[in-house]
Amino acid sequence: MRNSRKNINLLINCFLCMLFLSSCSSSYIKQVDPELKTAFGITLTSPSQGIFFVQNKKVDAFKSEIEAHIQVANSIYNNYGPATDRRFVGTTNARQLKFHTKERTYLIDITKFKKRTALVLFDGHHKPIIVFHVDRYHLIVEKYFIARHK
């Protein structure tokens, strides 16, 4: 019984790790010079954190997909918002997001996304995370952001 419980926990952890890795896209995250200016963007510097809900309005999507994104964004905002001095939680129409850690600076150009909606997480210490699947927003926020930084 004890071994089967360990095996189940191991399988669940492997599944969550695969889910996390498959739901995030780092191809849109570029390491840049800290002096680079953003075009209509937001900049966050460590130790500040951010949970951003973004849309690339150049990409078409079904109305239901956009509504699901907004509904989940509102739910997460109600659980973890509003913004504070250390954490921003909310929807933005910024075209670019720039994040400074102690060692690196990252730029995300939202206008390059091939999907209409996304969640962008920045924990203040590591490379930001982009999630395109609305059904994974809550899981990613809870498991890989909030739990680590309470």
Side-chain angles (χ1 to χ4, degrees):
M1 174 117 165
R2 185 171 226 156
N3 282 339
S4 65
R5 192 175 272 174
K6 284 183 180 180
N7 288 340
I8 291 171
N9 283 339
L10 180 63
L11 285 172
I12 290 171
N13 287 333
C14 288
F15 174 74
L16 289 174
C17 185
M18 288 175 27
L19 178 69
F20 173 70
L21 293 174
S22 68
S23 68
C24 304
S25 176
S26 63
S27 64
Y28 295 105
I29 303 170
K30 305 254 187 271
Q31 191 172 335
V32 295
D33 184 285
E35 302 301 316
L36 178 77
K37 302 288 184 204
T38 59
F40 192 73
I42 294 174
T43 301
L44 275 186
T45 302
S46 179
S48 294
Q49 304 169 341
I51 301 173
F52 297 95
F53 301 96
V54 298
Q55 289 190 45
N56 181 2
K57 301 213 176 186
K58 294 179 181 179
V59 176
D60 289 330
F62 291 110
K63 186 176 180 179
S64 61
E65 293 173 329
I66 297 168
E67 288 173 354
H69 169 80
I70 292 169
Q71 182 180 6
V72 174
N74 289 339
S75 172
I76 291 172
Y77 176 82
N78 290 335
N79 288 334
Y80 305 109
T84 65
D85 290 343
R86 288 200 18 101
R87 180 184 293 148
F88 174 86
V89 180
T91 301
T92 180
N93 62 350
R95 291 185 207 123
Q96 294 181 329
L97 300 172
K98 188 165 81 168
F99 304 101
H100 295 284
T101 65
K102 289 181 181 178
E103 300 169 357
R104 295 187 172 97
T105 300
Y106 300 100
L107 180 72
I108 298 173
D109 189 344
I110 295 157
T111 64
K112 304 280 187 205
F113 288 0
K114 292 181 181 169
K115 296 200 176 220
R116 171 72 178 245
T117 60
L119 164 69
V120 178
L121 297 173
F122 178 63
D123 70 359
H125 303 288
H126 303 96
K127 187 176 185 177
I129 298 168
I130 303 170
V131 182
F132 291 104
H133 301 286
V134 169
D135 57 332
R136 297 181 183 155
Y137 287 7
H138 275 290
L139 177 68
I140 299 298
V141 169
E142 290 171 9
K143 293 288 183 182
Y144 297 97
F145 191 76
I146 300 301
R148 291 182 183 174
H149 299 87
K150 282 190 174 181

